[in-house]
Amino acid sequence: MLGEGIIKGMVETARNFLGSYVREDRLTTVQYPEEREPQIENARQFPFLVYDGEDWETGLRCVACQICEKECPPQCIYIVKSKDKKPDYKGQMQFYPAIFDIDLSVCMSCQICVEVCPFEAIKMDTDYEWSTPDRFAALLVHKDQLARPNAYYQQLHPTDAAASDAVLAQERARAQAKARAAAELKTKAAAPPPTS
Amino acid sequence: MSGVDQLFVQLKHWALARCAGILPEAWQPLVSLLLSIIPLLVIFPTLFAAMVWMERKGLGRIQNRYGPNRVGPFGLLQPAADGIKALIKEDIVPRAADRVVHWLAPVLLVTTAFTVYAVLPFGRNMVVVDLEAGLLFFFAVGTVAELVVFMAGWSSRNKYALLGAMRAVAQMISYEIPLVLSTVTVVMIAGTLSLPQIVLAQSPASGWWPAWFVFTPWGAAGFVLFLIAANAEANRSPFDLPEGESEIIAGYFIEYSGFKFALFFLGEYLSLFAVSALGVTLFLGGWHAPYVVGEWVPSWVWFFLKLLAVLALFIWTRGTLPRLRQDQLMNFAWKFMIPMTLINVVIAALWHWIGSGPVRWLVCSALVIGAYSLLGRGLMRAGRWMPRTYRFAE
Ligand code: SF4
Ligand code: SF4
């Protein structure tokens, strides 16, 4: 009969209404600033730059290759390459970013910059409390605010960090092996040919 | 009993007597009117604030949320915060808008919404003007809301606003008819158009069955029909097509911001209170208690309790029912509401004609149930379901 469904619906909403006063578990709302839910490991909010060692300025992994700048869909990364070079984790001389800015108001947390970076230099942070009273300058995040130690990355995303550390270790080992081979070759070349 | 019951009436007389000494004789009626109006101008906006809070809390609980709980204890100060926010917001008027009409619409809405309170009796001897044709006045002034909605939609120069206004006008005109027809039954039985007289016709009798009109077959049907039509008139869910946030993003008040938006909001709620108060007056015995023993509670307490109950029902339906589609809306109005109200008028006539006794109960109840189930079946069958064909997507 007409109206049956309406009555059923009204009963259901009445049960919700009354039930929410009786049973706490019906209310799934998290009272945010006081209560927080732990974030899942793969949560991603905003990129940060990883550095090795103690000093963030010398330790930044980023080599200012500008791939992320070109790939970022909303074009919110701005990089200026340095004039000089500094040694990277392999000891190879590389450029570094003189300026590395990300516009927080434009970034859409897509993680594409992370995917394209060949140097494991940019990763996603899980911190989401970036609100500021200033709409413009404060939302342009600079290099010094972006830099985070590798330990922080390991703590945020243990699985990813382990994988990326392994990749870097492998690279480093290969570079060292190559250097050793080159050195051996050199010593071999330098050594007088064996007399027969 | 009569002390508290007539408290406000006595207060007014006392204030009037005070003024009589100071003011010239000719001003007396004016002062008397002002003294009746000012309390209404205070009470109903307060009720608006309370209603917004209740509605947000109630809807929240219906959806297993908390609702507002930050501003003040239990979020009670939330309406104040909302009001301050609306006041300090920028007032944006579209460049192409018709400025005068755009400005006039919200003002007119609130003014007319307040005007209809003039004829509503809020308690014993508590009515601003006891018009002979109060009910007629209520509907005549109430229809201005349609005009206002169209003014707002038209003057905004926005396609969504205009669409919303078109929908609103179509809907309000369709539901105006059942709204008026459902009240005709009461007029027929009470034999008067004056609202205080209608309330008097429902004075508690000595018997065990309350004399409210809702406790009769035609009254029960009339009350339900009235509530549905009132819901549609007030543009509330499930009849909120003119606003339809998900389709036409707030419809006719899309171009309103800041305080004008707040005025629209206020006006809508004031009309809702007015039409609920009318429902209470017509069907729920106005300020009367159901039994003589309940008369020790002041009449205005009864009235506001009933009003709050009706408002709670409105919140409840809003939390339950999803929005109708335009064709469903029209089908419901023209194929169910209007025939049903017309049949109800006949039933009320029969009720009057048969005279008291169990026979009229039997006949009228049977007629109500029969008409309802037949019309309901027709309405349910109206939807013919066919496999959907896609002409271009293949
Ligand atoms: S997360 Fe996406 S939007 Fe944000 S900086 Fe990286 S590539 Fe750009
Ligand atoms: S973050 Fe990675 S991709 Fe971007 S410039 Fe630095 S090294 Fe290149």
Side-chain angles (χ1 to χ4, degrees):
Chain A
M1 203 150 98
L2 180 72
E4 234 171 288
I6 296 178
I7 306 274
K8 254 186 233 162
M10 301 279 274
V11 170
E12 187 60 37
T13 44
R15 277 188 47 211
N16 276 358
F17 181 83
L18 298 174
S20 71
Y21 283 102
V22 184
R23 281 180 41 202
E24 278 293 311
D25 59 323
R26 272 178 172 272
L27 295 161
T28 50
T29 312
V30 177
Q31 300 280 315
Y32 161 61
E34 293 94 28
E35 290 172 31
R36 279 148 210 267
E37 294 218 309
Q39 298 219 43
I40 56 164
E41 196 190 324
N42 286 340
R44 59 175 203 242
Q45 302 292 344
F46 189 63
F48 66 91
L49 295 174
V50 191
Y51 67 85
D52 296 310
E54 292 299 311
D55 180 29
W56 72 267
E57 289 221 76
T58 53
L60 271 190
R61 289 180 186 171
C62 176
V63 300
C65 69
Q66 293 177 310
I67 294 177
C68 56
E69 186 184 26
K70 292 196 185 80
E71 292 289 337
C72 173
Q75 295 284 296
C76 63
I77 306 182
Y78 175 71
I79 300 174
V80 172
K81 205 185 262 190
S82 63
K83 294 275 171 324
D84 54 335
K85 292 188 173 183
K86 70 173 179 58
D88 70 352
Y89 66 100
K90 291 186 283 193
Q92 201 176 337
M93 292 310 273
Q94 293 278 21
F95 291 108
Y96 61 92
I99 297 178
F100 196 116
D101 292 344
I102 303 182
D103 193 336
L104 179 59
S105 58
V106 178
C107 173
M108 59 183 193
S109 313
C110 66
Q111 200 177 340
I112 284 178
C113 49
V114 175
E115 307 293 339
V116 297
C117 177
F119 298 90
E120 306 283 338
I122 189 165
K123 294 292 170 194
M124 292 308 271
D125 205 340
T126 52
D127 185 14
Y128 48 86
E129 288 169 321
W130 284 87
S131 65
T132 79
D134 175 5
R135 275 200 292 154
F136 303 103
L139 287 176
L140 195 65
V141 187
H142 302 299
K143 189 168 69 161
D144 53 332
Q145 293 158 280
L146 287 170
R148 297 273 188 288
N150 194 21
Y152 177 75
Y153 178 40
Q154 282 161 346
Q155 178 203 330
L156 279 190
H157 308 289
T159 324
D160 283 356
S164 110
D165 282 348
V167 169
L168 288 181
Q170 207 181 340
E171 291 270 310
R172 200 180 293 128
R174 198 181 301 150
Q176 275 164 5
K178 214 195 254 171
R180 220 178 297 127
E184 243 164 59
L185 219 62
K186 219 181 269 172
T187 48
K188 231 178 251 174
T195 47
S196 49
Chain B
M1 160 211 152
S2 75
V4 189
D5 189 23
Q6 295 298 297
L7 179 65
F8 297 110
V9 181
Q10 236 115 56
L11 260 179
K12 186 190 152 185
H13 285 315
W14 176 81
L16 206 59
R18 276 299 108 105
C19 294
I22 316 162
L23 293 170
E25 191 72 16
W27 286 31
Q28 283 277 355
L30 196 69
V31 173
S32 162
L33 268 184
L34 269 183
L35 284 175
S36 314
I37 291 168
I38 289 170
L40 294 185
L41 292 186
V42 175
I43 289 169
F44 281 93
T46 317
L47 185 62
F48 163 64
M51 170 79 177
V52 170
W53 178 81
M54 283 195 320
E55 178 147 39
R56 291 181 62 177
K57 275 291 199 195
L59 288 182
R61 288 291 171 164
I62 280 174
Q63 295 156 7
N64 286 325
R65 294 184 287 111
Y66 286 101
N69 62 353
R70 292 279 153 172
V71 196
F74 305 106
L76 267 172
L77 296 179
Q78 186 68 40
D82 288 346
I84 293 170
K85 189 189 94 175
L87 267 176
I88 60 178
K89 268 203 164 178
E90 188 183 356
D91 176 28
I92 302 166
V93 182
R95 200 180 300 148
D98 185 335
R99 289 182 159 266
V100 180
V101 182
H102 192 263
W103 176 84
L104 206 59
V107 178
L108 207 59
L109 182 65
V110 175
T111 326
T112 51
F114 270 124
T115 312
V116 294
Y117 286 93
V119 292
L120 292 170
F122 299 103
R124 190 175 278 123
N125 302 330
M126 285 162 75
V127 57
V128 180
V129 275
D130 181 0
L131 272 188
E132 199 61 39
L135 191 62
L136 212 58
F137 173 84
F138 187 98
F139 285 126
V141 177
T143 5
V144 176
E146 279 153 49
L147 191 67
V148 165
V149 165
F150 202 73
M151 276 164 69
W154 180 260
S155 66
S156 297
R157 277 272 184 124
N158 179 309
K159 59 185 169 198
Y160 295 116
L162 192 58
L163 275 176
M166 301 281 223
R167 284 182 178 195
V169 170
Q171 171 178 329
M172 286 172 141
I173 289 177
S174 304
Y175 281 87
E176 191 84 47
I177 305 166
L179 185 71
V180 175
L181 280 178
S182 64
T183 61
V184 165
T185 52
V186 175
V187 176
M188 284 164 61
I189 299 296
T192 170
L193 277 167
S194 149
L195 294 177
Q197 298 290 330
I198 290 177
V199 175
L200 284 184
Q202 304 177 65
S203 321
S206 48
W208 57 275
W209 192 251
W212 298 359
F213 286 149
V214 72
F215 294 117
T216 55
W218 58 269
F223 185 54
V224 173
L225 292 167
F226 178 86
L227 279 187
I228 296 173
N231 210 339
E233 279 291 293
N235 290 337
R236 285 169 62 85
S237 180
F239 299 103
D240 58 347
L241 287 102
E243 281 148 48
E245 295 87 350
S246 49
E247 308 155 16
I248 48 172
I249 41 176
Y252 53 88
F253 47 65
I254 180 174
E255 293 292 4
Y256 283 90
S257 54
F259 201 62
K260 283 187 200 153
F261 180 78
L263 279 184
F264 258 111
F265 209 49
L266 174 69
E268 292 228 315
Y269 275 88
L270 285 178
S271 335
L272 178 72
F273 299 156
V275 85
S276 311
L278 185 71
V280 168
T281 306
L282 293 180
F283 295 100
L284 298 183
W287 40 263
H288 273 306
Y291 301 104
V292 185
V293 282
E295 293 275 286
W296 64 272
V297 179
S299 55
W300 38 274
V301 172
W302 272 114
F303 182 84
F304 277 96
L305 280 181
K306 289 178 200 171
L307 183 61
L308 285 177
V310 173
L311 292 179
L313 194 62
F314 274 124
I315 296 176
W316 189 6
T317 40
R318 175 172 173 186
T320 307
L321 301 178
R323 190 181 306 138
L324 293 173
R325 219 169 45 214
Q326 190 74 32
D327 61 324
Q328 294 169 334
L329 178 90
M330 287 298 158
N331 272 344
F332 189 60
W334 295 95
K335 293 189 184 164
F336 180 79
M337 293 292 286
I338 292 179
M340 191 68 206
T341 43
L342 283 173
I343 292 171
N344 203 28
V345 169
V346 176
I347 294 172
L350 276 179
W351 176 268
H352 185 68
W353 182 63
I354 295 178
S356 58
V359 182
R360 69 171 181 180
W361 275 92
L362 269 176
V363 172
C364 292
S365 311
L367 274 176
V368 167
I369 295 170
Y372 174 78
S373 52
L374 280 179
L375 282 174
R377 192 173 302 163
L379 195 67
M380 304 272 272
R381 208 178 36 218
R384 280 183 302 277
W385 303 106
M386 282 177 286
R388 195 165 176 170
T389 49
Y390 296 93
R391 283 171 56 205
F392 302 111
E394 230 82 294

